Amino acid sequence: MSRPGAIDAQTPGQALAIVIAMAKHDIGTREARMLLAHAAGLDLHRLADLGLEDFTTDLIERYFLLVERRKRQEPMSHILGYREFYKSRFEVSPSVLDPRPETEVLVQLALDRPFGSVLDLGVGSGAILVTLLAERPAVRGVGCDLSEPALRLCRRNAKALAVADRATLVRSDWFDGVEGIFDLVVSNPPNIAEWEVATRSPEVRAHEPLVALTGGADGLSAYRAIAARAGEFLTPDGRILLEIGPTQAAAVSGLLEAGGLTGIIVHLDLDGRDRVVEARAPSEPPQNGKNLHP
């Protein structure tokens, strides 16, 4: 793929077609268009606004630098700096797991029933927590993460979507630094077994944080930590929603049941795969009171 210093075209449409054609065989037409729009500082739907005079040497050079990054299998979201999720655009970076479309299943399940408070364990970019707060203006939430860069990124996303005043972010290893009880606990924890990481695409294994991907030798270590203490942080009849890998429903359900939770339901994604495990705290707290966080 050569990089032209100038475009030999008579119209803006011709210039656009020439530039896209030079990259589409390497990265595909849609991605080529997205990267050109990004290089030009435009939304994708405004590419047609480019005039012939806009196809400068500087623009073409910026564009092909982006194309080269994509050819090296850097995720599009990292190149663009954002990922669309649910109804909003979230800033992302290599310090957090990219929000996945499948996680919208968890968000929708959470929104199906009322709640006044929510805790997001392993908040990352804030895609889950910030979306829930944006959709429920009366709700307050807490997000925790061990990663300071993730928490800083989440704060920016919370501010961008005007929910920062209702989001408390804390550095915590799961529940360790969390205080209070909640109507809803949500999490998309690391769920890939260590041996599985090598089988994932280069976009994932080379560009996303390992700590956000792997859940130990069997992919279940985070679920063990969460299930063991979830009941302490849920209001009576409060819900927990955990995103899972497609083969983990039985194991995660068993962990939640062993942790004293009830009403366990496995929800499917749009492809018919197990995607979210839901459970509830007992309607009445134990008489000894040990199952509720002060």
Side-chain angles (χ1 to χ4, degrees):
M1 180 176 62
S2 61
R3 299 184 188 181
I7 299 298
D8 184 14
Q10 301 300 311
T11 68
Q14 288 179 353
L16 180 62
I18 291 169
V19 172
I20 296 300
M22 298 186 71
K24 69 179 183 180
H25 297 297
D26 293 295
I27 62 172
T29 300
R30 177 169 174 76
E31 290 190 353
R33 292 175 61 85
M34 291 174 68
L35 293 180
L36 180 58
H38 187 63
L42 298 172
D43 288 334
L44 181 60
H45 69 277
R46 291 189 56 210
L47 265 183
D49 292 348
L50 287 173
L52 193 58
E53 69 281 1
D54 294 318
F55 288 88
T56 63
T57 301
D58 285 346
L59 172 62
I60 302 306
E61 180 65 21
R62 288 198 305 273
Y63 172 57
F64 280 104
L65 287 173
L66 298 179
V67 171
E68 290 291 344
R69 289 173 63 184
R70 184 60 184 139
K71 282 178 62 181
R72 295 194 295 270
Q73 297 183 297
E74 185 175 347
M76 280 290 290
S77 59
H78 290 185
I79 298 172
L80 300 176
Y82 66 84
R83 170 81 78 171
E84 304 288 347
F85 180 81
Y86 205 70
K87 301 175 184 178
S88 303
R89 176 174 291 183
F90 283 82
E91 180 185 348
V92 296
S93 77
S95 65
V96 299
L97 187 72
D98 258 20
R100 265 56 168 187
E102 307 90 81
T103 304
E104 294 183 6
V105 174
L106 185 154
V107 169
Q108 191 56 59
L109 288 167
L111 294 171
D112 282 346
R113 298 184 184 179
F115 57 96
S117 57
V118 57
L119 167 64
D120 186 352
L121 297 166
V123 70
S125 67
I128 298 174
L129 177 66
V130 171
T131 297
L132 294 178
L133 296 180
E135 291 293 309
R136 295 290 182 267
V139 170
R140 301 190 69 85
V142 173
C144 69
D145 207 296
L146 263 180
S147 166
E148 285 289 357
L151 292 171
R152 288 194 294 270
L153 181 62
C154 183
R155 287 189 186 97
R156 292 197 295 273
N157 282 322
K159 183 176 181 180
L161 292 180
V163 302
D165 60 329
R166 294 184 286 119
T168 300
L169 302 178
V170 296
R171 188 171 188 270
S172 176
D173 186 2
W174 303 121
F175 293 108
D176 287 350
V178 176
E179 296 181 353
I181 56 174
F182 304 86
D183 299 327
L184 176 66
V185 172
V186 294
S187 185
N188 177 19
N191 56 32
I192 301 174
E194 290 172 350
W195 64 267
E196 289 184 285
V197 174
T199 70
R200 299 305 167 107
S201 70
E203 289 187 16
V204 172
R205 65 175 186 263
H207 294 281
E208 299 209 59
L210 185 63
V211 68
L213 292 171
T214 181
D218 61 359
L220 295 170
S221 60
Y223 297 103
R224 292 189 183 95
I226 293 170
R229 298 191 63 193
E232 301 175 38
F233 294 85
L234 284 167
T235 57
D237 209 35
R239 289 194 300 159
I240 183 169
L241 296 170
L242 300 177
E243 184 168 344
I244 58 169
T247 65
Q248 296 173 321
V252 173
S253 296
L255 291 169
L256 291 169
E257 184 176 10
L261 302 182
T262 63
I264 296 170
I265 304 171
V266 177
H267 298 276
L268 308 181
D269 61 22
L270 294 178
D271 293 324
R273 298 172 298 184
D274 294 341
R275 181 57 59 187
V276 175
V277 177
E278 174 182 355
R280 289 183 175 275
S283 297
E284 297 293 336
Q287 291 188 359
N288 62 16
K290 292 182 179 179
N291 220 30
L292 284 181
H293 196 278

